[in-house]
Amino acid sequence: MLLTEEMIQEKVAALAQAIDRDYSGRVPVLVGVLTGATIFMADLIRKLQIPVEMEFMAVSSYGAGTESTGVVRILKDLNSEVTGRDLIIVEDIVDSGLTLAYLQSLLRARDPASLRTCVLLDKAERRETDVALDYIGFTIPNAFVIGYGLDYGGLYRQLPFVGILDPSAI
Ligand code: 5GP
């Protein structure tokens, strides 16, 4: 067990408060990154007071392994135009940062009014590229984690907490 359900829910509420404060009077588009960010997104938007729109993108990532390939491919794009909109990328975890760096450049190219990133888990010591993170839930150690949307081989996403996967289970 790394982060309990209670710790996560408290943190998500704090992140929502910060977003409420920063985006007062605006209607940002939250862009969740499938599939890992679905649980975080669902909890986050329900704690927000400001009106928001919700979109999802899917990019290729780890498959069943635990190491980043650095290869990022769009599997599902946004449903609407985002030019001139305030965008907030909602990510479950940033590891090497390669996925996020790619997403940020892709969305920036669509001329949004602003672009920020909200990430629940930051494995800061694993970073391989410079990416800006505006809202960070927890900085975590370098371990493969599961739960609260994060999977291993498609499993464990439903856990309400975040745990470190026992290497013997890999
Ligand atoms: P990055 O491109 O930053 O190396 O990796 C980002 C993606 O890799 C995340 O969106 C997530 O899908 C996956 N990932 C990175 N670290 C972990 C981890 O510890 N556990 C799980 N389940 N996925 C991870």
Side-chain angles (χ1 to χ4, degrees):
M1 172 84 72
L2 183 66
L3 304 168
T4 64
E5 181 172 5
E6 195 186 2
M7 286 164 77
I8 295 169
Q9 292 304 325
E10 262 178 33
K11 187 65 79 175
V12 174
L15 291 169
Q17 261 183 19
I19 292 171
D20 272 338
R21 195 183 53 230
D22 294 350
Y23 289 84
S24 171
R26 293 190 275 167
V27 184
V29 182
L30 271 56
V31 178
V33 186
L34 294 173
T35 303
T38 51
I39 311 287
F40 178 36
M41 172 73 108
D43 282 348
L44 183 69
I45 61 161
R46 285 180 294 172
K47 292 192 167 90
L48 287 169
Q49 304 287 320
I50 54 162
V52 293
E53 289 177 36
M54 179 168 64
E55 284 270 359
F56 286 98
M57 281 188 86
V59 294
S60 63
S61 64
Y62 279 36
T66 63
E67 281 299 310
S68 182
T69 58
V71 179
V72 180
R73 220 158 37 95
I74 297 187
L75 304 177
K76 184 217 169 292
D77 207 337
L78 301 177
N79 291 331
S80 57
E81 292 287 320
V82 293
T83 305
R85 301 298 305 270
D86 293 305
L87 303 185
I88 306 175
I89 297 174
V90 177
E91 249 297 26
D92 49 0
I93 189 165
V94 180
D95 186 27
S96 68
L98 296 170
T99 310
L100 187 58
Y102 175 82
L103 270 175
Q104 287 181 344
S105 66
L106 186 110
L107 292 175
R108 216 172 271 122
R110 297 180 186 181
D111 283 326
S114 67
L115 176 65
R116 285 188 178 179
T117 298
C118 176
V119 59
L120 184 68
L121 307 175
D122 178 17
K123 276 198 218 171
E125 63 186 87
R126 293 261 303 170
R127 203 59 35 80
E128 288 172 29
T129 180
D130 213 14
V131 279
L133 304 180
D134 304 282
Y135 305 96
I136 300 172
F138 302 92
T139 300
I140 62 165
N142 177 18
F144 191 79
V145 293
I146 44 130
Y148 200 70
L150 290 156
D151 75 314
Y152 174 63
L155 298 176
Y156 308 115
R157 294 192 198 276
Q158 79 228 58
L159 300 175
F161 58 88
V162 170
I164 296 175
L165 190 63
D166 187 330
S168 70
I170 296 176

